[in-house]
Amino acid sequence: MAGSVGKPREDKDSVRAKIANRWSNIDYNKLSIDVQKTSEKPKLEPEVISIDSESETSISDNESETKGSLPKPLIDEKLHDKKYCFKLIRSETIYDKSIDYNRMNPKQRDYFITMKDIFYDPNLRETILFSFQFDMNFLSKCFHPNIERIVIIGQPERIIPLDDTIGSYELKQLAKKICYVPIEMPKYRSHHTKMVLNFYRDSLRMFLPSNNFTEAEVSYPQQVCWCSPKFMDLGKIEPISAFHGLGYELESYFRDYDQKTDFFQSLILKLGKYDFLCYDDNKEKNDIKFIYSTPKPHSDSGLESLGNRVRQLESKCFKHKNSKEDKHYLVQTSSIGTTMFRNKPFLLGVIIPRIIPDNSTTKEIHTNILYPTLKEICDSPASVLSGGWFHFNYSRGKEAYNSLMSEKVFVKQDPTQISRERLSTPSHSKFYMKWTTKYTNKNDNGSIPEEGVDWCLYTSANLSAAAWGSDTTRPKNYEFGVLFQGPVEVSSFVDLIYKNKGQFGTRLGTATEETNFKSKDKQVDRINADQVIVPFPKSFVQYDRDDKPSDVNLLDKISNLALQMHNST
């Protein structure tokens, strides 16, 4: 799994690598498919922290402190309160490029976040980034010069290293602060976790973005970010010996990388200096748990962990519910695996049996998968450019696929509720949720109820055996997410940021318009910072007869055809 490497390298045989390589040459100021010729840039030899090495591994606090008063953070104060929150990743080069934020309603503006909001803070001392892909040239624009250390954790072949040969003096200084913890993975396995640990001068904050750290991913598909509460520094010289709550779950996850690894041992010790009990005062209402997957044998992760947690919370929180009530399961995903799909539907045949309580006598189980159609992606403002992260090769399991289509499992965004700015742009996030109804609705389309859901999971894990494991196999990937224990109120960024405009969707509101605008989502007027907010409308419609799920292979064919037509004119 792990090993030393000389420098990050590219996996040229990877489908995602091919897409990323082609799209990295696109002019982000244009929406046309215009591939430009680029020359090969020289690569520097980055600092590498080998997780097999016993030399350079520890995370140390900087001994020198800035004298005088602390500089004021440039990001909004909501990122430094004691509540968690969801924010919509601002697409600065595409969808939100023409927005005048000075004219925008302040309440709506606060729901946006950028990578610079996360990293450009003068009080940020050290940041540790976990992801599947990194473009360090893109990320270099986001860091504040005060930062002392940047640690990149990922697969070496998925990292585009920083090129500072043409950069400024500041860029060269930044390059000296970057180091790498390489995670070697076998073929068809991924370090897919997307996490940021920000160590400020007096606190720790976690961020779970749905995007990898590339410019294309924060520009083309829709992305969200979960921002944790602020975990305060306990001020202890020695770290605590036993973690509690979220700290325990973080410790367990990091130990699954390699208990003999000095880097992660040092990271665990560092986390022991922070207070992870900030949820205790309101635990009954807003209890959350981390759910993760790792390929390590005998680890409580993947389906096993999800099943245990969901059974526990349902037995504790929903004893009053009638077991004969209908259970509705919705999964919004960016990819669907086909290994298990060819044998039986992964959601209904593998996941749900793990999470339904043993004493359940439910006869009606409704499952829906929110997944973009090929037409939705082609009709979005960035067209096929927004679809390179959506994988579902359903031709490998035509019988199972046809069965799910006939059962109307697949749903798409309600076209009357999408925003005019983003239209049908697909979401790269992954949400799993469940709710209960008192009667059978034969025309159920999986729309999220206004009264909330029993539980909701926001995660990096797609709907696949690689991400979750199966009845007989362990997970193959590293994944990470947060489980919200219900009842959970779910709102949509479409309702919170955009303003209703009749039956033709919504448009962006401005400060000169009414602040408390009304929408079909009755929760808007009483929205709290600790609710789940999704990047898509809460109402869905069934696939039309001619709709086909999108797949990167189909989009590649469309893109190549468009390029041929473009070059021939």
Side-chain angles (χ1 to χ4, degrees):
M1 180 191 73
S4 302
V5 295
K7 61 180 179 180
R9 61 185 183 275
E10 296 181 9
D11 182 2
K12 296 183 179 179
D13 296 328
S14 166
V15 173
R16 287 200 181 192
K18 291 178 180 178
I19 297 169
N21 180 64
R22 184 175 74 240
W23 289 358
S24 66
N25 298 327
I26 294 177
D27 185 349
Y28 283 81
N29 295 319
K30 296 180 181 179
L31 290 181
S32 60
I33 305 178
D34 185 11
V35 179
Q36 302 174 345
K37 295 182 179 180
T38 59
S39 59
E40 183 69 19
K41 297 180 179 180
K43 296 182 179 180
L44 296 180
E45 191 78 14
E47 177 187 354
V48 176
I49 301 178
S50 169
I51 63 174
D52 285 335
S53 171
E54 297 182 358
S55 55
E56 174 58 45
T57 52
S58 63
I59 297 178
S60 59
D61 292 331
N62 195 304
E63 296 179 357
S64 62
E65 293 287 349
T66 302
K67 296 182 180 180
S69 59
L70 295 178
K72 184 179 180 180
L74 301 181
I75 58 178
D76 65 82
E77 292 298 328
K78 285 187 178 181
L79 289 182
H80 287 283
D81 58 25
K82 292 186 177 181
K83 290 185 176 181
Y84 65 79
C85 60
F86 277 91
K87 289 183 179 287
L88 182 66
I89 301 292
R90 178 183 169 190
S91 173
E92 299 177 279
T93 56
I94 305 294
Y95 313 114
D96 308 317
K97 180 181 179 181
S98 61
I99 295 176
D100 183 354
Y101 279 80
N102 294 324
R103 295 184 60 248
M104 189 177 176
N105 186 311
K107 290 186 177 180
Q108 295 165 290
R109 182 175 61 237
D110 286 343
Y111 285 112
F112 282 108
I113 194 173
T114 67
M115 295 297 100
K116 198 166 186 177
D117 290 332
I118 297 175
F119 299 115
Y120 201 84
D121 187 331
N123 290 327
L124 179 60
R125 301 174 61 187
E126 178 180 24
T127 184
I128 303 178
L129 290 74
F130 298 73
S131 195
F132 176 74
Q133 288 182 322
F134 298 86
D135 182 349
M136 298 308 300
N137 296 301
F138 162 68
L139 276 178
S140 66
K141 306 171 186 176
C142 305
F143 296 113
H144 193 279
N146 284 8
I147 196 166
E148 298 165 3
R149 196 179 192 198
I150 302 164
V151 181
I152 304 299
I153 300 179
Q155 296 171 250
E157 66 271 16
R158 309 292 184 186
I159 301 173
I160 300 176
L162 180 64
D163 176 15
D164 65 352
T165 58
I166 313 177
S168 62
Y169 170 79
E170 288 76 13
L171 187 63
K172 295 181 184 297
Q173 293 301 112
L174 179 67
K176 298 177 181 179
K177 301 175 181 180
I178 300 174
C179 52
Y180 297 89
V181 178
I183 307 296
E184 297 285 1
M185 301 290 293
K187 195 173 183 179
Y188 305 122
R189 300 185 180 188
S190 301
H191 183 263
H192 202 243
T193 289
K194 299 163 182 61
M195 181 197 305
V196 176
L197 295 178
N198 270 2
F199 293 90
Y200 303 94
R201 299 186 182 278
D202 63 347
S203 60
L204 164 67
R205 194 79 187 263
M206 289 181 62
F207 297 88
L208 300 182
S210 61
N211 59 279
N212 293 299
F213 296 110
T214 68
E215 187 172 9
E217 291 204 34
V218 299
S219 301
Y220 293 133
Q222 293 204 88
Q223 307 280 9
V224 295
C225 182
W226 179 75
C227 313
S228 81
K230 181 166 61 174
F231 305 119
M232 299 304 300
D233 191 333
L234 293 171
K236 295 182 178 180
I237 299 177
E238 295 293 333
I240 59 176
S241 58
F243 284 95
H244 300 279
L246 298 179
Y248 172 78
E249 293 169 346
L250 272 179
E251 177 195 26
S252 300
Y253 173 69
F254 293 137
R255 288 193 183 279
D256 274 6
Y257 278 88
D258 190 340
Q259 290 192 38
K260 298 179 180 180
T261 301
D262 290 345
F263 174 83
F264 287 102
Q265 287 180 345
S266 186
L267 175 58
I268 291 170
L269 288 175
K270 190 178 184 71
L271 294 175
K273 298 181 180 180
Y274 294 88
D275 179 14
F276 289 96
L277 299 180
C278 58
Y279 280 92
D280 283 3
D281 293 339
N282 203 20
K283 187 174 182 179
E284 291 301 320
K285 182 179 179 181
N286 295 319
D287 196 8
I288 69 173
K289 301 289 185 182
F290 290 141
I291 301 291
Y292 59 83
S293 296
T294 70
K296 185 175 181 178
H298 311 298
S299 171
D300 178 21
S301 72
L303 277 180
E304 181 180 357
S305 176
L306 178 63
N308 291 339
R309 295 291 171 78
V310 170
R311 288 171 186 259
Q312 290 172 5
L313 76 89
E314 291 203 346
S315 64
K316 179 180 68 174
C317 302
F318 302 107
K319 292 181 179 180
H320 65 282
K321 285 189 176 291
N322 189 336
S323 61
K324 295 182 180 180
E325 293 176 330
D326 292 347
K327 290 180 170 58
H328 301 258
Y329 295 89
L330 172 71
V331 173
Q332 177 267 323
T333 184
S334 64
S335 293
I336 302 176
T338 55
T339 301
M340 290 297 299
F341 180 79
R342 284 174 284 182
N343 300 322
K344 52 184 175 181
F346 191 76
L347 176 58
L348 185 60
V350 180
I351 291 184
I352 290 180
R354 285 294 191 99
I355 60 182
I356 291 181
D358 295 330
N359 60 353
S360 174
T361 59
T362 301
K363 294 182 180 180
E364 293 293 335
I365 298 177
H366 304 268
T367 59
N368 285 106
I369 300 175
L370 176 59
Y371 187 80
T373 67
L374 189 63
K375 187 177 186 301
E376 279 185 305
I377 289 181
C378 291
D379 289 346
S380 66
S383 191
V384 296
L385 296 179
S386 65
W389 298 269
F390 298 85
H391 304 261
F392 181 25
N393 193 351
Y394 47 88
S395 62
R396 293 183 178 179
K398 290 185 177 180
E399 185 175 346
Y401 166 71
N402 291 334
S403 175
L404 291 182
M405 289 294 289
S406 65
E407 295 170 5
K408 298 182 177 180
V409 171
F410 293 101
V411 294
K412 59 183 180 180
Q413 301 179 67
D414 185 342
T416 68
Q417 296 302 306
I418 58 180
S419 68
R420 289 189 172 185
E421 280 77 8
R422 300 194 175 206
L423 298 178
S424 57
T425 301
S427 302
H428 189 238
S429 53
K430 293 91 180 170
F431 285 93
Y432 297 67
M433 60 187 75
K434 174 254 181 181
W435 62 90
T436 311
T437 58
K438 296 182 179 179
Y439 57 89
T440 300
N441 184 355
K442 296 300 183 181
N443 297 318
D444 176 65
N445 61 3
S447 295
I448 302 172
E450 293 182 355
E451 58 269 23
V453 299
D454 294 346
W455 53 263
C456 178
L457 173 67
Y458 167 67
T459 179
S460 64
N462 283 302
L463 192 60
S464 71
W468 288 106
S470 67
D471 297 331
T472 58
T473 62
R474 292 285 310 159
K476 294 182 174 61
N477 297 350
Y478 284 92
E479 310 279 1
F480 197 89
V482 57
L483 175 67
F484 302 90
Q485 305 186 33
V488 181
E489 294 181 1
V490 179
S491 294
S492 168
F493 281 114
V494 179
D495 295 313
L496 297 174
I497 294 178
Y498 302 95
K499 186 178 178 65
N500 275 349
K501 193 63 176 178
Q503 62 178 344
F504 302 106
T506 58
R507 62 183 174 82
L508 200 64
T510 66
T512 58
E513 297 174 317
E514 57 180 327
T515 301
N516 295 321
F517 59 93
K518 296 181 180 180
S519 74
K520 289 186 177 181
D521 187 350
K522 297 179 181 179
Q523 298 178 37
V524 170
D525 292 335
R526 55 189 176 90
I527 191 73
N528 296 318
D530 50 4
Q531 287 182 315
V532 171
I533 312 179
V534 296
F536 41 82
K538 290 173 57 178
S539 59
F540 315 123
V541 296
Q542 301 286 348
Y543 271 27
D544 295 331
R545 178 177 298 179
D546 298 330
D547 279 333
K548 297 292 184 183
S550 182
D551 181 69
V552 67
N553 295 319
L554 293 175
L555 293 172
D556 272 349
K557 293 180 181 179
I558 295 175
S559 180
N560 291 333
L561 178 61
L563 283 172
Q564 293 174 10
M565 295 175 62
H566 173 77
N567 294 332
S568 63
T569 57

